[in-house]
Amino acid sequence: FPSHDNDATSLGQTRQQALDAAATFGTFGKSAGLTGTALGDFSIKFTQLASDLASFNNTTPEDAIVALGAALRGESEPIRRYGVLLNDAALKQVAMEMGIYSGSGALTAQQKVLAASEAIFRQTTDAQGDFSRTSDGLANQQRILRAQLEDISATLGQLVLPYFLQFVKFINERILPAVKVFADNIGEKGVGNAFKLAIASM
């Protein structure tokens, strides 16, 4: 799995998108009883799969993340656009094959997440690794560019924010009061004198 410093080039996602996706999938992994390394692997695999599905199906990683999240919640419709068919019978069959379901009764929430995860990966083998295989193609280069620009913008925003706040504070505390002094005195004292008073008030 890529380091957060190069998510844009290896996933076509911004650092924040990749972190958010991993956190989202981590929530589902926890609900399935996963912990430690298994939980980390679960999150990482789904974050990578989102990029691969987006690349393979020419959508965005955000759309793929939403569809995968919905599938893990038990909503089968959004993931269909990625060629994944999930229904109760299919999930029960996969759960039986995984040895986590006896074949009778309803699946537990934990069993559903684990079975859905397995079924999703079984049905997306063609897409898996597609982002890496086609990263030099125009669509993925555009995804990489967009993600890198968003990362740069976020970084610049963090760096510039303190200076911008100082500028706004200066406007509020110095410039606007001086403009008010100018406006209050222009009629009585004339433009020149009102301007001098405004400057003095700063």
Side-chain angles (χ1 to χ4, degrees):
F1 190 65
S3 72
H4 296 315
D5 290 336
N6 63 354
D7 290 332
T9 55
S10 57
L11 292 173
Q13 299 179 36
T14 66
R15 283 190 296 272
Q16 193 58 53
Q17 285 172 334
L19 289 170
D20 290 346
T24 296
F25 297 130
T27 301
F28 290 111
K30 284 181 183 177
S31 73
L34 301 177
T35 59
T37 303
L39 178 60
D41 289 345
F42 182 92
S43 298
I44 289 167
K45 284 171 60 179
F46 270 102
T47 302
Q48 180 66 60
L49 181 60
S51 289
D52 289 336
L53 289 177
S55 172
F56 192 76
N57 294 279
N58 198 28
T59 66
T60 65
E62 298 93 329
D63 287 342
I65 290 166
V66 168
L68 287 168
L72 292 172
R73 276 194 307 275
E75 301 169 26
S76 60
E77 192 60 36
I79 198 69
R80 283 188 184 181
R81 70 185 294 192
Y82 295 99
V84 177
L85 302 176
L86 299 177
N87 57 38
D88 190 59
L91 290 180
K92 285 181 176 178
Q93 180 62 38
V94 170
M96 284 180 62
E97 292 170 7
M98 293 173 70
I100 60 173
Y101 174 63
S102 65
S104 63
L107 292 172
T108 66
Q110 182 178 7
Q111 290 169 330
K112 283 181 182 177
V113 171
L114 292 172
S117 172
E118 179 67 18
I120 289 166
F121 277 96
R122 287 184 184 183
Q123 294 182 45
T124 59
T125 53
D126 288 345
Q128 290 166 31
D130 191 74
F131 185 87
S132 177
R133 287 192 301 270
T134 62
S135 62
D136 288 337
L138 177 60
N140 280 336
Q141 283 297 308
Q142 289 174 325
R143 289 184 181 96
I144 290 168
L145 175 62
R146 184 177 66 246
Q148 286 182 323
L149 288 175
E150 288 182 25
D151 279 342
I152 290 168
S153 295
T155 300
L156 283 176
Q158 291 170 355
L159 293 173
V160 172
L161 183 59
Y163 300 103
F164 183 70
L165 288 175
Q166 289 176 9
F167 175 71
V168 171
K169 185 176 180 182
F170 175 77
I171 294 291
N172 284 335
E173 293 180 355
R174 299 288 182 89
I175 301 298
L176 291 181
V179 170
K180 184 174 185 322
V181 168
F182 178 79
D184 290 345
N185 288 284
I186 190 170
E188 181 183 334
K189 302 194 182 285
V191 173
N193 288 328
F195 186 72
K196 289 177 185 175
L197 288 169
I199 294 296
S201 74
M202 294 175 64

